[in-house]
Amino acid sequence: MTVIDDYIATCPVEHQPKLIEIRTIIKKAAPQAEEKISWGMPTFYLNGNLVHFALAKKHIGFYPGASGVSDFEERIQEYKHSKGAIQFPLDKPLPKKLIMDIVKSKIKENCE
C-alpha cells in the first residue's frame, strides 16, 4: 500500500474506481514521478509538484497549477476551472488524453 492507496481507501467506495482511474492515467504519463501526499491530496512529484488530485462532493479536483490550466485553456472550456484547478464531474468519463497531455506538459516544464 502507498499513501495514495490509503487516500483512495478513505473515500466512498462508489468513487474509488474513478480515483484509481485518474491515478492510473497520471502514472502512465509520468511513470518516473514519485507519489506522495501534499496539501492533503494525492500528489505526483518530479523536480517539484507535477499535479495533485482530490475527491470533492460532485467532482474530482485536478490541480496542475497555473500553467497546466492556462496552456490548455481551449481544451478545458467544458469543465469548471480556476487559475490552477480543473473540476472533472463524477458523473462523466475522465478526459484521459487531456489529463495525459497536461501531465506531460508539466513534466517538460519541471525538467527544463
Side-chain angles (χ1 to χ4, degrees), residues 20-85:
I20 291 167
E21 181 182 9
I22 194 168
R23 177 191 188 191
T24 301
I25 295 166
I26 297 166
K27 281 178 73 164
K28 185 174 181 182
Q32 68 277 43
E34 174 189 349
E35 292 185 353
K36 63 183 192 173
I37 299 292
S38 183
W39 297 88
M41 296 181 284
T43 301
F44 285 79
Y45 183 92
L46 181 66
N47 295 333
N49 291 333
L50 290 175
V51 295
H52 313 273
F53 69 89
L55 180 65
K57 188 173 182 177
K58 295 185 179 184
H59 67 270
I60 292 177
F62 181 65
Y63 305 92
S67 64
V69 171
S70 64
D71 292 352
F72 293 86
E73 191 74 36
E74 289 183 19
R75 291 178 60 191
I76 63 170
Q77 288 307 306
E78 69 183 274
Y79 303 102
K80 196 172 192 182
H81 60 279
S82 63
K83 183 178 176 183

Side-chain angles (χ1 to χ4, degrees), residues 4-20 40 42 53-56 59-60 90:
I4 294 180
D5 290 321
D6 293 341
Y7 174 90
I8 292 171
T10 67
C11 296
V13 173
E14 66 270 20
H15 300 309
Q16 290 179 14
K18 193 155 270 195
L19 293 168
I20 291 167
F53 69 89
L55 180 65
H59 67 270
I60 292 177
L90 289 169

